[in-house]
Amino acid sequence: MSFAAFRAAVRDDARTYGGDWSQPGLRALVVYRMGVWRMTVRRRWLRVPLSVIYKWAFRRCRNVYGIEIPYTCTIGRGVRIEHQGGIVIHGASVIGDGCIIRQNCTLGIRRMDRVDDAPILMANVNVGAGAVILGRVTIGEGAAIGANAVVLTDVPPGALAIGVPATIRLRA
């Protein structure tokens, strides 16, 4: 990611939040994007101080806002973290464009012997408060995950997943 691409992504994120820089979700996304960009800096003497700043900002977002987004995950444009607190995203997760993630959500692994099997959210997925999505599952475009649902299987595009464990309901 070039510096120009980093700036463009941050501008898009700011637009998604209506330019309100006080939003913890926006701040966490900017820190994430900075972490991705700093890994593309080739000169080590420049990357090291950027890494120190990134690690400080990452820990601040995690400890103050309760939003943990490691730079190793993949996040599209227009993603909105609706509320702060208890948001944990595994480093191998993929989040598509236009997704909404609410408080106390976890996107993580299901088994310790498969540490890279993290969820994939396609575009425009709406994740309800307290939802847990575990393992290498794909949440289809436009799907909705209900509040406090525990998703362990793929969710088709446009469907609704509710309950523990989640059951899938197709929407008309």
Side-chain angles (χ1 to χ4, degrees):
M1 171 188 284
S2 69
F3 187 71
F6 165 66
R7 285 182 40 183
V10 169
R11 273 196 304 271
D12 285 351
D13 291 337
R15 202 171 305 121
T16 299
Y17 282 84
D20 185 359
W21 286 91
S22 68
Q23 293 289 319
L26 174 57
R27 292 179 178 189
L29 285 170
V30 169
V31 169
Y32 157 77
R33 299 210 190 275
M34 186 261 193
V36 172
W37 167 73
R38 63 135 179 142
M39 291 306 291
T40 64
V41 174
R42 293 182 190 258
R43 295 206 167 101
R44 190 173 191 280
W45 62 272
L46 284 173
R47 192 174 58 250
V48 168
L50 291 172
S51 294
V52 170
I53 293 167
Y54 164 74
K55 289 176 183 178
W56 173 83
F58 172 82
R59 285 182 178 91
R60 179 168 170 77
C61 285
R62 182 191 63 198
N63 297 340
V64 174
Y65 302 136
I67 303 172
E68 187 172 333
I69 309 174
Y71 74 92
T72 55
C73 64
T74 303
I75 298 180
R77 300 284 180 95
V79 171
R80 184 168 180 93
I81 297 174
E82 196 65 36
H83 304 286
Q84 70 186 42
I87 296 173
V88 179
I89 299 174
H90 187 274
S93 296
V94 177
I95 300 173
D97 297 340
C99 291
I100 299 172
I101 299 173
R102 291 180 177 76
Q103 73 273 13
N104 294 322
C105 289
T106 300
L107 277 63
I109 60 172
R110 191 167 174 187
R111 298 171 42 175
M112 289 305 295
D113 62 337
R114 301 175 102 177
V115 295
D116 290 331
D117 285 355
I120 299 170
L121 277 60
M122 303 307 279
N124 303 311
V125 172
N126 190 337
V127 182
V132 176
I133 305 170
L134 299 175
R136 179 59 71 176
V137 297
T138 300
I139 310 300
E141 184 172 347
I145 309 300
N148 297 314
V150 177
V151 180
L152 304 173
T153 60
D154 291 347
V155 177
L160 173 66
I162 55 173
V164 178
T167 56
I168 310 302
R169 295 191 181 172
L170 300 178
R171 299 187 285 183

mmCIF file of all heavy atoms in Angstrom, residues 36-82:
data_model
loop_
_atom_site.group_PDB
_atom_site.id
_atom_site.type_symbol
_atom_site.label_atom_id
_atom_site.label_comp_id
_atom_site.label_asym_id
_atom_site.label_seq_id
_atom_site.Cartn_x
_atom_site.Cartn_y
_atom_site.Cartn_z
ATOM 1 N N VAL A 36 -0.904 -1.374 8.321
ATOM 2 C CA VAL A 36 -0.737 -2.012 7.019
ATOM 3 C C VAL A 36 0.270 -1.232 6.182
ATOM 4 O O VAL A 36 1.185 -1.799 5.579
ATOM 5 C CB VAL A 36 -2.091 -2.121 6.280
ATOM 6 C CG1 VAL A 36 -1.893 -2.609 4.851
ATOM 7 C CG2 VAL A 36 -3.036 -3.039 7.034
ATOM 8 N N TRP A 37 0.109 0.091 6.155
ATOM 9 C CA TRP A 37 0.997 0.926 5.340
ATOM 10 C C TRP A 37 2.447 0.850 5.806
ATOM 11 O O TRP A 37 3.359 0.718 5.003
ATOM 12 C CB TRP A 37 0.520 2.382 5.370
ATOM 13 C CG TRP A 37 1.548 3.309 4.821
ATOM 14 C CD1 TRP A 37 1.901 3.460 3.506
ATOM 15 C CD2 TRP A 37 2.397 4.175 5.566
ATOM 16 N NE1 TRP A 37 2.926 4.379 3.393
ATOM 17 C CE2 TRP A 37 3.242 4.827 4.653
ATOM 18 C CE3 TRP A 37 2.533 4.467 6.921
ATOM 19 C CZ2 TRP A 37 4.193 5.750 5.050
ATOM 20 C CZ3 TRP A 37 3.465 5.382 7.312
ATOM 21 C CH2 TRP A 37 4.284 6.015 6.384
ATOM 22 N N ARG A 38 2.678 0.876 7.108
ATOM 23 C CA ARG A 38 4.064 0.903 7.611
ATOM 24 C C ARG A 38 4.831 -0.356 7.222
ATOM 25 O O ARG A 38 6.047 -0.319 7.100
ATOM 26 C CB ARG A 38 4.103 1.102 9.118
ATOM 27 C CG ARG A 38 3.434 -0.042 9.851
ATOM 28 C CD ARG A 38 4.167 -0.549 11.006
ATOM 29 N NE ARG A 38 3.335 -1.621 11.561
ATOM 30 C CZ ARG A 38 3.803 -2.713 12.059
ATOM 31 N NH1 ARG A 38 5.090 -2.901 12.131
ATOM 32 N NH2 ARG A 38 3.022 -3.635 12.522
ATOM 33 N N MET A 39 4.136 -1.454 6.989
ATOM 34 C CA MET A 39 4.822 -2.676 6.571
ATOM 35 C C MET A 39 5.310 -2.594 5.122
ATOM 36 O O MET A 39 6.118 -3.415 4.702
ATOM 37 C CB MET A 39 3.908 -3.896 6.749
ATOM 38 C CG MET A 39 3.642 -4.216 8.217
ATOM 39 S SD MET A 39 5.141 -4.422 9.198
ATOM 40 C CE MET A 39 5.786 -5.934 8.525
ATOM 41 N N THR A 40 4.846 -1.607 4.375
ATOM 42 C CA THR A 40 5.305 -1.449 2.991
ATOM 43 C C THR A 40 6.506 -0.515 2.895
ATOM 44 O O THR A 40 7.091 -0.389 1.820
ATOM 45 C CB THR A 40 4.179 -0.893 2.097
ATOM 46 O OG1 THR A 40 3.830 0.419 2.535
ATOM 47 C CG2 THR A 40 2.963 -1.806 2.133
ATOM 48 N N VAL A 41 6.878 0.125 3.998
ATOM 49 C CA VAL A 41 8.042 1.009 4.008
ATOM 50 C C VAL A 41 9.286 0.128 3.940
ATOM 51 O O VAL A 41 9.520 -0.694 4.829
ATOM 52 C CB VAL A 41 8.056 1.911 5.265
ATOM 53 C CG1 VAL A 41 9.334 2.721 5.341
ATOM 54 C CG2 VAL A 41 6.838 2.806 5.271
ATOM 55 N N ARG A 42 10.075 0.285 2.896
ATOM 56 C CA ARG A 42 11.209 -0.616 2.661
ATOM 57 C C ARG A 42 12.412 -0.330 3.549
ATOM 58 O O ARG A 42 13.106 -1.232 3.955
ATOM 59 C CB ARG A 42 11.620 -0.558 1.195
ATOM 60 C CG ARG A 42 10.565 -1.129 0.290
ATOM 61 C CD ARG A 42 11.024 -1.098 -1.147
ATOM 62 N NE ARG A 42 9.934 -1.435 -2.029
ATOM 63 C CZ ARG A 42 9.792 -2.617 -2.585
ATOM 64 N NH1 ARG A 42 10.659 -3.562 -2.362
ATOM 65 N NH2 ARG A 42 8.778 -2.849 -3.387
ATOM 66 N N ARG A 43 12.658 0.912 3.812
ATOM 67 C CA ARG A 43 13.840 1.261 4.608
ATOM 68 C C ARG A 43 13.580 0.989 6.081
ATOM 69 O O ARG A 43 12.691 1.577 6.697
ATOM 70 C CB ARG A 43 14.201 2.719 4.379
ATOM 71 C CG ARG A 43 14.622 2.952 2.947
ATOM 72 C CD ARG A 43 15.543 4.143 2.854
ATOM 73 N NE ARG A 43 16.163 4.173 1.554
ATOM 74 C CZ ARG A 43 15.773 4.967 0.573
ATOM 75 N NH1 ARG A 43 14.766 5.783 0.752
ATOM 76 N NH2 ARG A 43 16.389 4.935 -0.588
ATOM 77 N N ARG A 44 14.380 0.118 6.631
ATOM 78 C CA ARG A 44 14.198 -0.307 8.018
ATOM 79 C C ARG A 44 14.287 0.860 8.992
ATOM 80 O O ARG A 44 13.527 0.935 9.951
ATOM 81 C CB ARG A 44 15.246 -1.368 8.366
ATOM 82 C CG ARG A 44 15.003 -2.040 9.679
ATOM 83 C CD ARG A 44 15.983 -3.192 9.869
ATOM 84 N NE ARG A 44 15.621 -4.019 10.989
ATOM 85 C CZ ARG A 44 15.883 -3.731 12.252
ATOM 86 N NH1 ARG A 44 16.491 -2.624 12.560
ATOM 87 N NH2 ARG A 44 15.502 -4.544 13.219
ATOM 88 N N TRP A 45 15.184 1.798 8.754
ATOM 89 C CA TRP A 45 15.365 2.918 9.669
ATOM 90 C C TRP A 45 14.137 3.822 9.698
ATOM 91 O O TRP A 45 13.928 4.534 10.673
ATOM 92 C CB TRP A 45 16.634 3.704 9.336
ATOM 93 C CG TRP A 45 16.638 4.345 7.976
ATOM 94 C CD1 TRP A 45 17.039 3.793 6.802
ATOM 95 C CD2 TRP A 45 16.208 5.664 7.659
ATOM 96 N NE1 TRP A 45 16.890 4.675 5.768
ATOM 97 C CE2 TRP A 45 16.387 5.842 6.272
ATOM 98 C CE3 TRP A 45 15.702 6.719 8.415
ATOM 99 C CZ2 TRP A 45 16.055 7.028 5.623
ATOM 100 C CZ3 TRP A 45 15.388 7.898 7.761
ATOM 101 C CH2 TRP A 45 15.562 8.038 6.379
ATOM 102 N N LEU A 46 13.288 3.763 8.677
ATOM 103 C CA LEU A 46 12.018 4.497 8.692
ATOM 104 C C LEU A 46 10.889 3.645 9.281
ATOM 105 O O LEU A 46 10.020 4.157 9.983
ATOM 106 C CB LEU A 46 11.626 4.904 7.269
ATOM 107 C CG LEU A 46 12.374 6.062 6.650
ATOM 108 C CD1 LEU A 46 11.973 6.219 5.194
ATOM 109 C CD2 LEU A 46 12.094 7.341 7.414
ATOM 110 N N ARG A 47 10.912 2.338 8.961
ATOM 111 C CA ARG A 47 9.856 1.448 9.418
ATOM 112 C C ARG A 47 9.885 1.230 10.929
ATOM 113 O O ARG A 47 8.831 1.116 11.559
ATOM 114 C CB ARG A 47 9.949 0.104 8.687
ATOM 115 C CG ARG A 47 8.732 -0.766 8.895
ATOM 116 C CD ARG A 47 8.740 -2.036 8.068
ATOM 117 N NE ARG A 47 9.907 -2.860 8.334
ATOM 118 C CZ ARG A 47 10.913 -3.053 7.496
ATOM 119 N NH1 ARG A 47 10.907 -2.478 6.322
ATOM 120 N NH2 ARG A 47 11.932 -3.814 7.820
ATOM 121 N N VAL A 48 11.050 1.200 11.545
ATOM 122 C CA VAL A 48 11.143 0.938 12.988
ATOM 123 C C VAL A 48 10.402 1.989 13.822
ATOM 124 O O VAL A 48 9.574 1.641 14.662
ATOM 125 C CB VAL A 48 12.618 0.769 13.432
ATOM 126 C CG1 VAL A 48 12.737 0.789 14.941
ATOM 127 C CG2 VAL A 48 13.178 -0.530 12.868
ATOM 128 N N PRO A 49 10.642 3.299 13.614
ATOM 129 C CA PRO A 49 9.867 4.266 14.405
ATOM 130 C C PRO A 49 8.368 4.221 14.095
ATOM 131 O O PRO A 49 7.540 4.408 14.998
ATOM 132 C CB PRO A 49 10.460 5.623 14.049
ATOM 133 C CG PRO A 49 11.434 5.412 12.970
ATOM 134 C CD PRO A 49 11.661 3.955 12.807
ATOM 135 N N LEU A 50 8.021 3.933 12.842
ATOM 136 C CA LEU A 50 6.601 3.799 12.501
ATOM 137 C C LEU A 50 5.988 2.602 13.231
ATOM 138 O O LEU A 50 4.835 2.658 13.674
ATOM 139 C CB LEU A 50 6.428 3.645 10.991
ATOM 140 C CG LEU A 50 6.735 4.877 10.153
ATOM 141 C CD1 LEU A 50 6.723 4.518 8.669
ATOM 142 C CD2 LEU A 50 5.761 5.997 10.450
ATOM 143 N N SER A 51 6.761 1.535 13.363
ATOM 144 C CA SER A 51 6.276 0.356 14.085
ATOM 145 C C SER A 51 6.068 0.644 15.561
ATOM 146 O O SER A 51 5.105 0.174 16.168
ATOM 147 C CB SER A 51 7.251 -0.810 13.910
ATOM 148 O OG SER A 51 7.270 -1.229 12.567
ATOM 149 N N VAL A 52 6.959 1.420 16.142
ATOM 150 C CA VAL A 52 6.797 1.800 17.554
ATOM 151 C C VAL A 52 5.519 2.617 17.732
ATOM 152 O O VAL A 52 4.731 2.372 18.654
ATOM 153 C CB VAL A 52 8.040 2.578 18.058
ATOM 154 C CG1 VAL A 52 7.792 3.181 19.427
ATOM 155 C CG2 VAL A 52 9.256 1.662 18.083
ATOM 156 N N ILE A 53 5.296 3.569 16.847
ATOM 157 C CA ILE A 53 4.083 4.394 16.921
ATOM 158 C C ILE A 53 2.843 3.526 16.718
ATOM 159 O O ILE A 53 1.862 3.650 17.459
ATOM 160 C CB ILE A 53 4.138 5.529 15.875
ATOM 161 C CG1 ILE A 53 5.245 6.507 16.223
ATOM 162 C CG2 ILE A 53 2.790 6.240 15.770
ATOM 163 C CD1 ILE A 53 5.587 7.476 15.111
ATOM 164 N N TYR A 54 2.891 2.630 15.728
ATOM 165 C CA TYR A 54 1.752 1.746 15.474
ATOM 166 C C TYR A 54 1.449 0.876 16.698
ATOM 167 O O TYR A 54 0.289 0.762 17.097
ATOM 168 C CB TYR A 54 2.006 0.853 14.258
ATOM 169 C CG TYR A 54 1.042 -0.302 14.203
ATOM 170 C CD1 TYR A 54 -0.284 -0.102 13.837
ATOM 171 C CD2 TYR A 54 1.428 -1.581 14.582
ATOM 172 C CE1 TYR A 54 -1.190 -1.150 13.827
ATOM 173 C CE2 TYR A 54 0.540 -2.638 14.575
ATOM 174 C CZ TYR A 54 -0.771 -2.416 14.205
ATOM 175 O OH TYR A 54 -1.661 -3.457 14.215
ATOM 176 N N LYS A 55 2.472 0.267 17.265
ATOM 177 C CA LYS A 55 2.232 -0.621 18.408
ATOM 178 C C LYS A 55 1.653 0.139 19.592
ATOM 179 O O LYS A 55 0.782 -0.363 20.303
ATOM 180 C CB LYS A 55 3.519 -1.357 18.783
ATOM 181 C CG LYS A 55 3.877 -2.405 17.741
ATOM 182 C CD LYS A 55 5.195 -3.080 18.029
ATOM 183 C CE LYS A 55 5.516 -4.051 16.914
ATOM 184 N NZ LYS A 55 6.795 -4.709 17.089
ATOM 185 N N TRP A 56 2.105 1.364 19.818
ATOM 186 C CA TRP A 56 1.551 2.186 20.888
ATOM 187 C C TRP A 56 0.072 2.496 20.595
ATOM 188 O O TRP A 56 -0.781 2.346 21.465
ATOM 189 C CB TRP A 56 2.342 3.493 21.035
ATOM 190 C CG TRP A 56 1.706 4.427 22.006
ATOM 191 C CD1 TRP A 56 1.836 4.413 23.359
ATOM 192 C CD2 TRP A 56 0.790 5.488 21.699
ATOM 193 N NE1 TRP A 56 1.067 5.414 23.911
ATOM 194 C CE2 TRP A 56 0.420 6.079 22.909
ATOM 195 C CE3 TRP A 56 0.261 5.986 20.514
ATOM 196 C CZ2 TRP A 56 -0.470 7.153 22.974
ATOM 197 C CZ3 TRP A 56 -0.616 7.042 20.576
ATOM 198 C CH2 TRP A 56 -0.968 7.621 21.788
ATOM 199 N N ALA A 57 -0.220 2.905 19.351
ATOM 200 C CA ALA A 57 -1.592 3.265 18.990
ATOM 201 C C ALA A 57 -2.509 2.034 19.010
ATOM 202 O O ALA A 57 -3.669 2.130 19.447
ATOM 203 C CB ALA A 57 -1.607 3.923 17.615
ATOM 204 N N PHE A 58 -2.004 0.879 18.565
ATOM 205 C CA PHE A 58 -2.788 -0.357 18.598
ATOM 206 C C PHE A 58 -3.189 -0.698 20.024
ATOM 207 O O PHE A 58 -4.340 -0.993 20.307
ATOM 208 C CB PHE A 58 -1.985 -1.508 17.984
ATOM 209 C CG PHE A 58 -2.640 -2.854 18.144
ATOM 210 C CD1 PHE A 58 -3.633 -3.257 17.273
ATOM 211 C CD2 PHE A 58 -2.258 -3.717 19.170
ATOM 212 C CE1 PHE A 58 -4.246 -4.495 17.422
ATOM 213 C CE2 PHE A 58 -2.865 -4.952 19.325
ATOM 214 C CZ PHE A 58 -3.857 -5.335 18.441
ATOM 215 N N ARG A 59 -2.217 -0.636 20.934
ATOM 216 C CA ARG A 59 -2.506 -0.955 22.337
ATOM 217 C C ARG A 59 -3.467 0.063 22.955
ATOM 218 O O ARG A 59 -4.315 -0.281 23.765
ATOM 219 C CB ARG A 59 -1.209 -1.037 23.131
ATOM 220 C CG ARG A 59 -0.458 -2.313 22.836
ATOM 221 C CD ARG A 59 0.824 -2.436 23.646
ATOM 222 N NE ARG A 59 1.491 -3.689 23.372
ATOM 223 C CZ ARG A 59 2.406 -3.863 22.434
ATOM 224 N NH1 ARG A 59 2.763 -2.855 21.677
ATOM 225 N NH2 ARG A 59 2.965 -5.039 22.246
ATOM 226 N N ARG A 60 -3.334 1.305 22.562
ATOM 227 C CA ARG A 60 -4.259 2.338 23.062
ATOM 228 C C ARG A 60 -5.687 2.050 22.592
ATOM 229 O O ARG A 60 -6.625 2.114 23.386
ATOM 230 C CB ARG A 60 -3.814 3.711 22.614
ATOM 231 C CG ARG A 60 -4.754 4.805 23.084
ATOM 232 C CD ARG A 60 -4.160 6.179 22.892
ATOM 233 N NE ARG A 60 -5.130 7.216 23.130
ATOM 234 C CZ ARG A 60 -5.529 7.623 24.319
ATOM 235 N NH1 ARG A 60 -5.011 7.073 25.393
ATOM 236 N NH2 ARG A 60 -6.434 8.575 24.436
ATOM 237 N N CYS A 61 -5.848 1.721 21.318
ATOM 238 C CA CYS A 61 -7.183 1.392 20.811
ATOM 239 C C CYS A 61 -7.744 0.158 21.524
ATOM 240 O O CYS A 61 -8.924 0.126 21.871
ATOM 241 C CB CYS A 61 -7.149 1.149 19.310
ATOM 242 S SG CYS A 61 -7.001 2.656 18.349
ATOM 243 N N ARG A 62 -6.909 -0.828 21.729
ATOM 244 C CA ARG A 62 -7.352 -2.046 22.404
ATOM 245 C C ARG A 62 -7.711 -1.781 23.856
ATOM 246 O O ARG A 62 -8.755 -2.216 24.339
ATOM 247 C CB ARG A 62 -6.254 -3.111 22.323
ATOM 248 C CG ARG A 62 -6.658 -4.437 22.958
ATOM 249 C CD ARG A 62 -5.488 -5.362 23.095
ATOM 250 N NE ARG A 62 -4.504 -4.767 24.002
ATOM 251 C CZ ARG A 62 -3.241 -5.142 24.082
ATOM 252 N NH1 ARG A 62 -2.780 -6.075 23.289
ATOM 253 N NH2 ARG A 62 -2.423 -4.578 24.933
ATOM 254 N N ASN A 63 -6.858 -1.062 24.571
ATOM 255 C CA ASN A 63 -7.056 -0.877 26.007
ATOM 256 C C ASN A 63 -8.047 0.219 26.360
ATOM 257 O O ASN A 63 -8.756 0.111 27.359
ATOM 258 C CB ASN A 63 -5.717 -0.595 26.693
ATOM 259 C CG ASN A 63 -4.753 -1.759 26.563
ATOM 260 O OD1 ASN A 63 -5.147 -2.890 26.294
ATOM 261 N ND2 ASN A 63 -3.474 -1.485 26.726
ATOM 262 N N VAL A 64 -8.108 1.289 25.573
ATOM 263 C CA VAL A 64 -9.006 2.408 25.885
ATOM 264 C C VAL A 64 -10.367 2.213 25.231
ATOM 265 O O VAL A 64 -11.399 2.386 25.876
ATOM 266 C CB VAL A 64 -8.369 3.752 25.453
ATOM 267 C CG1 VAL A 64 -9.343 4.896 25.637
ATOM 268 C CG2 VAL A 64 -7.087 4.002 26.239
ATOM 269 N N TYR A 65 -10.382 1.854 23.953
ATOM 270 C CA TYR A 65 -11.648 1.722 23.230
ATOM 271 C C TYR A 65 -12.194 0.303 23.220
ATOM 272 O O TYR A 65 -13.363 0.097 22.914
ATOM 273 C CB TYR A 65 -11.482 2.181 21.781
ATOM 274 C CG TYR A 65 -11.007 3.589 21.629
ATOM 275 C CD1 TYR A 65 -10.020 3.911 20.714
ATOM 276 C CD2 TYR A 65 -11.520 4.628 22.399
ATOM 277 C CE1 TYR A 65 -9.577 5.205 20.560
ATOM 278 C CE2 TYR A 65 -11.079 5.924 22.261
ATOM 279 C CZ TYR A 65 -10.105 6.209 21.338
ATOM 280 O OH TYR A 65 -9.662 7.486 21.183
ATOM 281 N N GLY A 66 -11.354 -0.671 23.498
ATOM 282 C CA GLY A 66 -11.803 -2.059 23.452
ATOM 283 C C GLY A 66 -12.007 -2.560 22.034
ATOM 284 O O GLY A 66 -12.874 -3.380 21.772
ATOM 285 N N ILE A 67 -11.192 -2.049 21.097
ATOM 286 C CA ILE A 67 -11.279 -2.468 19.699
ATOM 287 C C ILE A 67 -9.914 -3.012 19.286
ATOM 288 O O ILE A 67 -8.933 -2.284 19.278
ATOM 289 C CB ILE A 67 -11.676 -1.294 18.780
ATOM 290 C CG1 ILE A 67 -13.009 -0.686 19.228
ATOM 291 C CG2 ILE A 67 -11.739 -1.751 17.331
ATOM 292 C CD1 ILE A 67 -13.372 0.589 18.501
ATOM 293 N N GLU A 68 -9.872 -4.294 18.954
ATOM 294 C CA GLU A 68 -8.612 -4.944 18.605
ATOM 295 C C GLU A 68 -8.646 -5.380 17.143
ATOM 296 O O GLU A 68 -9.341 -6.330 16.784
ATOM 297 C CB GLU A 68 -8.397 -6.157 19.513
ATOM 298 C CG GLU A 68 -7.072 -6.801 19.352
ATOM 299 C CD GLU A 68 -6.815 -7.881 20.390
ATOM 300 O OE1 GLU A 68 -7.387 -7.817 21.499
ATOM 301 O OE2 GLU A 68 -6.027 -8.791 20.084
ATOM 302 N N ILE A 69 -7.931 -4.629 16.298
ATOM 303 C CA ILE A 69 -7.861 -4.923 14.862
ATOM 304 C C ILE A 69 -6.390 -5.012 14.470
ATOM 305 O O ILE A 69 -5.753 -3.990 14.228
ATOM 306 C CB ILE A 69 -8.536 -3.828 14.019
ATOM 307 C CG1 ILE A 69 -9.943 -3.523 14.512
ATOM 308 C CG2 ILE A 69 -8.571 -4.254 12.551
ATOM 309 C CD1 ILE A 69 -10.584 -2.345 13.808
ATOM 310 N N PRO A 70 -5.815 -6.204 14.400
ATOM 311 C CA PRO A 70 -4.408 -6.316 14.011
ATOM 312 C C PRO A 70 -4.219 -5.981 12.529
ATOM 313 O O PRO A 70 -5.129 -6.156 11.712
ATOM 314 C CB PRO A 70 -4.081 -7.780 14.287
ATOM 315 C CG PRO A 70 -5.380 -8.475 14.316
ATOM 316 C CD PRO A 70 -6.417 -7.481 14.720
ATOM 317 N N TYR A 71 -3.040 -5.517 12.183
ATOM 318 C CA TYR A 71 -2.751 -5.098 10.810
ATOM 319 C C TYR A 71 -2.745 -6.257 9.834
ATOM 320 O O TYR A 71 -2.812 -6.061 8.629
ATOM 321 C CB TYR A 71 -1.418 -4.342 10.739
ATOM 322 C CG TYR A 71 -0.202 -5.214 10.872
ATOM 323 C CD1 TYR A 71 0.422 -5.735 9.747
ATOM 324 C CD2 TYR A 71 0.315 -5.541 12.118
ATOM 325 C CE1 TYR A 71 1.540 -6.552 9.859
ATOM 326 C CE2 TYR A 71 1.419 -6.346 12.241
ATOM 327 C CZ TYR A 71 2.026 -6.852 11.113
ATOM 328 O OH TYR A 71 3.120 -7.659 11.235
ATOM 329 N N THR A 72 -2.705 -7.499 10.315
ATOM 330 C CA THR A 72 -2.640 -8.658 9.433
ATOM 331 C C THR A 72 -3.990 -9.050 8.846
ATOM 332 O O THR A 72 -4.036 -9.827 7.900
ATOM 333 C CB THR A 72 -2.046 -9.862 10.179
ATOM 334 O OG1 THR A 72 -2.812 -10.089 11.367
ATOM 335 C CG2 THR A 72 -0.587 -9.626 10.526
ATOM 336 N N CYS A 73 -5.084 -8.540 9.384
ATOM 337 C CA CYS A 73 -6.383 -8.853 8.793
ATOM 338 C C CYS A 73 -6.589 -7.982 7.547
ATOM 339 O O CYS A 73 -5.805 -7.077 7.270
ATOM 340 C CB CYS A 73 -7.508 -8.691 9.802
ATOM 341 S SG CYS A 73 -7.756 -7.029 10.410
ATOM 342 N N THR A 74 -7.644 -8.264 6.808
ATOM 343 C CA THR A 74 -7.935 -7.512 5.593
ATOM 344 C C THR A 74 -9.291 -6.836 5.767
ATOM 345 O O THR A 74 -10.291 -7.515 6.013
ATOM 346 C CB THR A 74 -7.975 -8.452 4.373
ATOM 347 O OG1 THR A 74 -6.725 -9.142 4.290
ATOM 348 C CG2 THR A 74 -8.222 -7.685 3.095
ATOM 349 N N ILE A 75 -9.300 -5.519 5.625
ATOM 350 C CA ILE A 75 -10.537 -4.751 5.805
ATOM 351 C C ILE A 75 -10.761 -3.885 4.580
ATOM 352 O O ILE A 75 -9.870 -3.152 4.146
ATOM 353 C CB ILE A 75 -10.469 -3.888 7.079
ATOM 354 C CG1 ILE A 75 -10.331 -4.787 8.308
ATOM 355 C CG2 ILE A 75 -11.702 -3.002 7.195
ATOM 356 C CD1 ILE A 75 -10.265 -4.050 9.620
ATOM 357 N N GLY A 76 -11.970 -3.951 4.045
ATOM 358 C CA GLY A 76 -12.334 -3.175 2.871
ATOM 359 C C GLY A 76 -12.677 -1.735 3.216
ATOM 360 O O GLY A 76 -12.486 -1.265 4.339
ATOM 361 N N ARG A 77 -13.229 -1.039 2.249
ATOM 362 C CA ARG A 77 -13.596 0.367 2.403
ATOM 363 C C ARG A 77 -15.017 0.490 2.955
ATOM 364 O O ARG A 77 -15.846 -0.381 2.766
ATOM 365 C CB ARG A 77 -13.521 1.082 1.054
ATOM 366 C CG ARG A 77 -12.144 1.054 0.413
ATOM 367 C CD ARG A 77 -11.220 2.045 1.099
ATOM 368 N NE ARG A 77 -9.898 2.052 0.539
ATOM 369 C CZ ARG A 77 -9.474 2.896 -0.391
ATOM 370 N NH1 ARG A 77 -10.269 3.803 -0.862
ATOM 371 N NH2 ARG A 77 -8.240 2.826 -0.829
ATOM 372 N N GLY A 78 -15.272 1.595 3.616
ATOM 373 C CA GLY A 78 -16.613 1.891 4.100
ATOM 374 C C GLY A 78 -17.057 1.034 5.274
ATOM 375 O O GLY A 78 -18.247 0.947 5.559
ATOM 376 N N VAL A 79 -16.126 0.402 5.965
ATOM 377 C CA VAL A 79 -16.461 -0.410 7.132
ATOM 378 C C VAL A 79 -16.757 0.519 8.304
ATOM 379 O O VAL A 79 -16.081 1.521 8.501
ATOM 380 C CB VAL A 79 -15.311 -1.379 7.483
ATOM 381 C CG1 VAL A 79 -15.537 -2.066 8.812
ATOM 382 C CG2 VAL A 79 -15.146 -2.395 6.366
ATOM 383 N N ARG A 80 -17.776 0.177 9.065
ATOM 384 C CA ARG A 80 -18.151 1.015 10.208
ATOM 385 C C ARG A 80 -18.184 0.161 11.469
ATOM 386 O O ARG A 80 -18.861 -0.858 11.519
ATOM 387 C CB ARG A 80 -19.508 1.653 9.980
ATOM 388 C CG ARG A 80 -19.896 2.609 11.074
ATOM 389 C CD ARG A 80 -21.107 3.426 10.671
ATOM 390 N NE ARG A 80 -21.458 4.328 11.741
ATOM 391 C CZ ARG A 80 -21.035 5.575 11.854
ATOM 392 N NH1 ARG A 80 -20.227 6.071 10.954
ATOM 393 N NH2 ARG A 80 -21.413 6.324 12.857
ATOM 394 N N ILE A 81 -17.439 0.597 12.469
ATOM 395 C CA ILE A 81 -17.494 -0.025 13.791
ATOM 396 C C ILE A 81 -18.432 0.866 14.595
ATOM 397 O O ILE A 81 -18.075 1.972 14.990
ATOM 398 C CB ILE A 81 -16.093 -0.133 14.408
ATOM 399 C CG1 ILE A 81 -15.235 -1.041 13.527
ATOM 400 C CG2 ILE A 81 -16.179 -0.658 15.833
ATOM 401 C CD1 ILE A 81 -13.797 -1.113 13.929
ATOM 402 N N GLU A 82 -19.641 0.367 14.785
ATOM 403 C CA GLU A 82 -20.733 1.193 15.292
ATOM 404 C C GLU A 82 -20.541 1.652 16.731
ATOM 405 O O GLU A 82 -20.816 2.791 17.044
ATOM 406 C CB GLU A 82 -22.051 0.421 15.162
ATOM 407 C CG GLU A 82 -23.270 1.260 15.278
ATOM 408 C CD GLU A 82 -23.418 2.282 14.153
ATOM 409 O OE1 GLU A 82 -23.058 1.994 13.013
ATOM 410 O OE2 GLU A 82 -23.908 3.378 14.446
#
